[in-house]
Structures are given as structure tokens and as C-alpha cells.
Amino acid sequence: MTVQQEMKTLTHFIKGEEVAGTSGRFTEVYNPSTGEVIARVPLASKDEVKHAIQLAKEAFPAWKKTSIGRRVEVLHRFRQLLVERQDKLINMICQESGKTREDAKGEIVRGIESVDMAISAPQMLKGEYSVNVGGNINAFSAKSPLGVVATIAPFNFPVMVPLAITSMAVAVGNAVILKPSERVPISALYLSQLWKEAGLPDGIWTVVNGDKEAVDELLENKEIQAISFVGSTPVAEYIYQTGTKHNKRVAAFGGGKNFMIVMPDANLEQTANAFLGAAYGAASQRCMAISGALVVGKDTEQRFTEILKHKISQLKVGPYTEQDVDFGPVITKQSKETIIRYIDGAVTEGANLVIDGRHPKVCETSNGFYLGPTLLNNVTPEMTIFKEEVFGPARIVVGVDTLQEAIDLINDHELGNGVTMFTSSGAAARRFQEEIEVGMVGVNVPIPIPVGYHNFGGWKRSKFGEGHMFGPDQARFFTKAKTISERWPDETEDTTSSFAFPSNNDAKS
Ligand code: NAD
């Protein structure tokens, strides 16, 4: 049987059922480790998305009225299923994204953290109450779900990002539509089965597969109340501008250029170990991956580069099916070509190749989309490789003279997702934390991604809109507040009309 005959045709997941695509448009899903096509996924038409939204809208009122305790019971069961089916999920993630098994497991554990946070929804939904704000009037605030909300995910976390942007939305009572990346739809569809098994009512979790056409319907449809997007900066900006033009609440998380400042007083051996995993893990396809080192002082720069060169040359690139692989392929052939263009361009602009990963050994025997780890130095802030996010294993070393110069370069960069600094000086670390214009900041921490109960989000062009991922801000983003003032007068009270603007006259006396 040929690969073509074995290829699975995927579906959407609408009103609790797998629904075949009817648009007639499909795209291929690859196993990046082998270069083979493993499935084809339907690309929804606007009409298919409209229909899914309508069914979600019909399901919403009953879920909204379901007590928060019952809603959270479903999340508890869902969490349990994620743990029990972890191995199956790991296989799916590895197959469609090329991640190593260890890395896939890490993303599931992080995804479960956001389910844990959603399980705390009863605490998050508690309102405020004030007694006797005036004339026997009590005032309180209450949070209501928004209705049908849309979430749009990138390829690089097939499970973690869908969980991070949907779990709290479901818990606080919304009907959620997920548009996964068309490059990794298999894991997201499997999550649908787990929600159904956990007892989530049909229509509260929907998956529409698709591309720009499906996204545009979500952005324009008047029934969609909010959009949580995760992806590249140009698309995030488009989502924010189009979504807000259609009066939606939008949080759009974009790309990153995340630097590691290396101070002369840092332990260079430890710092280099931290750099390796944070810079090259997942083939550098993480929005919080370390993009490069800003090393303070010429001598430190030379020593750090030498240590990195030695360590990087020992890294192993290959398929997730092999033991001891440090990272796998990039997501597509096109992505590989783009990264090679960045490396070639940097060399043309004057950068020096310390380690060249453009032709890794594994490519001699595999058609997978592999790139070895690449390190460039003599990089300057004017070069494209410094200015733009490179979503693959080409990393840079930039020499600076002072901490202030490093802080200024980072603050002048248009992206501001994550940053970290390695030092043994508390005073330098405090100055760095105070002055740096970046959303997620680390000190002696390789990837400063916040734990699930803290808010996640970058600054500058790494995030558009005000919502955060993970953390307590999600409960605010996916609800709207109502403030109620109530009075129940008895017959003896003076209730004559007053034409003055309501105020608390007693307060002035
Ligand atoms: P992408 O922007 O290409 O795609 C993200 C989603 O948007 C996908 O579902 C895709 O189908 C859709 N999309 C793509 N082009 C579109 C268009 N023109 N109009 C409407 N929708 C469109 O991103 P990607 O390549 O899948 O993911 C990698 C990017 O995501 C990187 O830039 C990475 O830094 C970023 N990312 C950011 C975070 C964060 O939290 N800030 C997290 C993960 C990934």
C-alpha cells in the first residue's frame, strides 16, 4: 500500500461530532522527521465556520447556566484524561511537529498547568460586595461569560497553546471555537475527543480547521465576542486590527527576539549550558527561545563563544524515534529554506559562522526537514538576523561594552517577549529588571516563561491588546463585569422622587 493510500483525511469537530469538510479545499500535514505526508486536513469555507458558530451559540446558554461547580467537574475529568492519555498525545505531537518525546511531554505538562488554573475558576469568578453604599443600597459586581469566543493557535505547541487559550474560556462558561494550525491539527482534534469523554456538552468546544478564510470569518462574524490569537507578529497585528474593527475583544500574541545578557561575572560554564537548551531546544521553534547572547566585554565574549562552540558541536539532531536526540527538524521544507536564507544573508552582511548547521549529517539519510545548530558572531544590530525573529536553530552572539549598551539594544528592538540575564551581581540584576522594556524577564533562568498561575505576555510588537495567556488575567479576558446596585425599601422609608444626580449626601455632612 502506498503512503498516498494510507493517508488519513481529517475532519472538523462540530457539536460533539467529527464533521467532514465540504469546502473541497485541503492541505497536507507532514511528519517533519521523515518528510512524508501523513494526513490531509480540510480548510473550512466561510459558510462552514458560520454554521459552527451558530451551533456554538445555541449551546452557550445552557453551559452559562450550569453551576460553576459542575463546569469545573468536567475540567477535572478532562485533566485526568490528559494525564492518562499522555503517551498517545506525545506520539501525536512528535509525529506532526517533529519534537523530541521529552519536549512533547514538557509541553503537555505545561498545558495541564493551564487546566489547573482553569479549575480555579470559582475563585477567579468571585465578585465584590459593598454593604450600604448609601440609603440601604448594597452594590456588587459579578462576572458573566462573553458567549462564543474564538481561539487561533500556531504550529509550535500543538497541545500547550490550545489548552492555554481555551481552558479558562470553557471554565468561565463560554462556548469556544479553536482554529488550530493547519500544520498540526491532529493533536487538537484528539483534545476534542477528550473533552467529549470528560462530559463537556456538545457545542461548547468546536474545532474548525482552516486557513485565512476560516480566520477571517471568525474575525468578522458578529456572534464572536472575543479572540485569543497566538502566532507570528505580522498575523497577530492583522488579527488585532481586524478583530477590533469588528468590535471584538482581542488578545494577539506575536513573535519574539529574546536575548540573554551574559555579564563578565557570570559562571560561563553554567550560562552556556543554559543557552544550549533555551536557544536550540525544539529546533528553536519557541516564542520564548533564546535568539542570541549579548555578551558584555571582549574577553567574556571570546571565552563564551569558545565554550559554546565546543558544546554546540556535540549536539545531536535527528528524529524523535532515536534516543539521545537533542532536537528534531523544523516544521516544513519552506521553513528550512527561510532559515537558510537568514544565515546566508547574515554572512553576506558580514557575520562570521562559528558553527554552520545548514547541512546536518542526518540529511544524508533522511528527507526530514533538519537543520543543525548554527552560531554566528560578529553580528551587529543593523543586520537582518538581529532585527527579525528567526524561527529555527540559527542563533547569534553580539558583543557589547557595558550592561547599559545591552539594555539599550533590547529596549530599542521592536519585539519584547522574553529576556534573561546571567550574572552574580544582585545590583546589576535589579537595574536590569527595572530598566528592561520586555514582558517576561529572567535572572539566571534560561527561559523565563511564567508558571501557569502567573500572566504570560510580551511587550511592544510581541503582543497586541491587553489580555494575557495562562494566569488570572485569562478569567478577566473571557468574562465581562456587571455592577449591580440594589435596595429593598420597607414601607416606612422615604422614596420620593429626587431630580439631583444620585450621590451620597451623608458623606458631605
Ligand atoms: P502563523 O502566524 O503563521 O500562524 C498562526 C495561526 O494564524 C495559524 O492558525 C494560521 O493558520 C493562522 N494564519 C496564518 N496566516 C494567516 C493570515 N494571513 N490570516 C489569518 N490567519 C492566518 O504562526 P506559526 O508559524 O504557526 O507559529 C510560529 C509563530 O508563532 C512564531 O512567530 C512564534 O514566535 C509565535 N508564537 C508566539 C507565542 C506567544 O505566546 N507570543 C507562542 C507560540 C508561538
Side-chain angles (χ1 to χ4, degrees):
M1 193 181 270
T2 65
V3 172
Q4 197 65 29
Q5 283 165 318
E6 283 172 11
M7 198 201 303
K8 191 172 178 331
T9 298
L10 303 174
T11 62
H12 307 293
F13 187 84
I14 298 173
K15 208 174 177 203
E17 303 293 339
E18 291 180 354
V19 175
T22 57
S23 70
R25 293 198 305 129
F26 292 87
T27 192
E28 290 170 332
V29 181
Y30 286 86
N31 176 342
S33 300
T34 61
E36 286 168 354
V37 177
I38 49 172
R40 55 179 208 151
V41 62
L43 302 174
S45 65
K46 280 180 163 276
D47 282 344
E48 285 173 291
V49 179
K50 275 194 189 101
H51 181 62
I53 294 171
Q54 179 56 31
L55 296 177
K57 186 186 168 197
E58 288 166 17
F60 166 66
W63 182 240
K64 177 186 172 186
K65 283 206 172 124
T66 302
S67 75
I68 179 67
R70 289 259 175 272
R71 293 204 298 256
V72 164
E73 276 176 19
V74 174
L75 274 109
H76 271 291
R77 287 195 292 270
F78 178 63
R79 184 196 193 283
Q80 188 58 29
L81 289 169
L82 287 169
V83 174
E84 286 169 11
R85 308 287 167 78
Q86 204 175 140
D87 280 345
K88 194 163 182 173
L89 269 172
I90 288 174
N91 285 339
M92 288 177 181
I93 294 172
C94 291
Q95 206 191 18
E96 64 182 349
S97 77
K99 285 189 186 190
T100 63
R101 292 187 66 78
E102 192 189 15
D103 195 31
K105 185 171 181 187
E107 92 154 83
I108 295 172
V109 171
R110 270 304 174 114
I112 289 175
E113 271 186 25
S114 56
V115 181
D116 288 338
M117 189 66 206
I119 286 171
S120 73
Q123 180 69 14
M124 297 289 125
L125 290 181
K126 282 198 301 195
E128 294 167 326
Y129 203 99
S130 302
V131 177
N132 200 17
V133 293
N136 282 333
I137 296 173
N138 295 346
F140 64 97
S141 64
K143 291 175 187 148
S144 307
L146 301 175
V148 185
V149 298
T151 59
I152 300 159
F155 79 82
N156 64 323
F157 288 106
V159 165
M160 185 187 78
V161 168
L163 290 179
I165 56 184
T166 59
S167 304
M168 185 62 89
V170 170
V172 298
N174 297 289
V176 178
I177 297 188
L178 169 69
K179 208 296 287 170
S181 165
E182 60 275 40
R183 292 178 240 164
V184 293
I186 297 171
S187 321
L189 278 170
Y190 185 62
L191 292 179
S192 313
Q193 282 182 34
L194 301 189
W195 276 118
K196 187 159 173 110
E197 252 182 82
L200 189 71
D202 293 346
I204 298 305
W205 162 275
T206 298
V207 173
V208 286
N209 281 306
D211 55 6
K212 187 173 186 321
E213 180 170 343
V215 172
D216 282 344
E217 182 57 36
L218 294 170
L219 293 175
E220 292 160 13
N221 193 296
K222 69 177 175 37
E223 302 299 347
I224 298 290
Q225 306 301 321
I227 295 169
S228 184
F229 168 89
V230 184
S232 59
T233 287
V235 184
E237 185 169 31
Y238 169 75
I239 299 284
Y240 178 75
Q241 287 177 349
T242 315
T244 50
K245 194 172 105 192
H246 289 86
N247 297 323
K248 298 179 197 320
R249 191 179 286 190
V250 180
F253 303 87
K257 193 82 184 174
N258 314 307
F259 290 103
M260 174 187 277
I261 299 180
V262 182
M263 294 294 285
D265 59 10
N267 177 324
L268 293 189
E269 190 67 25
Q270 284 177 0
T271 307
N273 287 338
F275 184 92
L276 286 196
Y280 296 108
S284 314
Q285 297 170 116
R286 293 178 182 144
C287 66
M288 290 287 281
I290 292 299
S291 320
L294 289 180
V295 188
V296 179
K298 201 78 212 147
D299 173 58
T300 314
E301 186 200 337
Q302 275 167 2
R303 283 190 297 129
F304 189 62
T305 308
E306 273 313 305
I307 297 172
L308 281 183
K309 186 176 174 182
H310 173 69
K311 287 181 185 287
I312 291 170
S313 61
Q314 294 172 346
L315 293 181
K316 185 172 171 196
V317 184
Y320 61 91
T321 44
E322 271 178 28
Q323 292 294 314
D324 304 329
V325 162
D326 292 302
F327 64 86
V330 296
I331 190 72
T332 56
K333 188 167 171 282
Q334 292 76 8
S335 180
K336 176 174 169 167
E337 287 163 2
T338 304
I339 298 153
I340 290 175
R341 268 199 303 277
Y342 273 113
I343 300 170
D344 294 346
V347 172
T348 309
E349 286 181 85
N352 171 53
L353 266 170
V354 179
I355 299 260
D356 183 357
R358 286 175 291 183
H359 309 287
K361 207 167 169 29
V362 58
C363 289
E364 292 166 14
T365 50
S366 169
N367 291 325
F369 313 132
Y370 296 98
L371 277 171
T374 293
L375 188 71
L376 297 123
N377 66 356
N378 290 349
V379 171
T380 62
E382 295 73 36
M383 294 182 186
T384 309
I385 202 159
F386 182 92
K387 292 190 209 153
E388 297 183 9
E389 179 186 49
V390 179
F391 219 52
R395 311 284 87 174
I396 56 178
V397 173
V398 182
V400 289
D401 291 331
T402 60
L403 171 59
Q404 193 58 51
E405 193 183 339
I407 291 174
D408 289 346
L409 280 178
I410 293 168
N411 288 352
D412 286 346
H413 203 283
E414 66 167 25
L415 299 173
N417 217 34
V419 68
T420 193
M421 173 200 223
F422 277 70
T423 184
S424 55
S425 159
R430 190 170 57 80
R431 185 168 140 217
F432 162 69
Q433 286 166 38
E434 277 175 15
E435 292 185 16
I436 207 75
E437 299 277 320
V438 172
M440 291 170 283
V441 180
V443 174
N444 298 327
V445 169
I447 305 182
I449 173 171
V451 286
Y453 36 93
H454 279 267
N455 291 328
F456 174 109
W459 283 13
K460 299 184 277 187
R461 288 173 59 75
S462 288
K463 192 185 79 172
F464 301 85
E466 280 309 309
H468 286 86
M469 245 194 290
F470 297 99
D473 195 47
Q474 282 242 301
R476 184 197 62 75
F477 183 77
F478 285 116
T479 55
K480 53 191 170 189
K482 190 182 271 176
T483 311
I484 297 158
S485 304
E486 67 176 5
R487 177 188 193 187
W488 299 99
D490 63 32
E491 283 165 11
T492 61
E493 277 182 51
D494 176 10
T495 56
T496 51
S497 299
S498 167
F499 294 89
F501 191 69
S503 67
N504 187 353
N505 285 325
D506 288 349
K508 291 189 195 133
S509 62

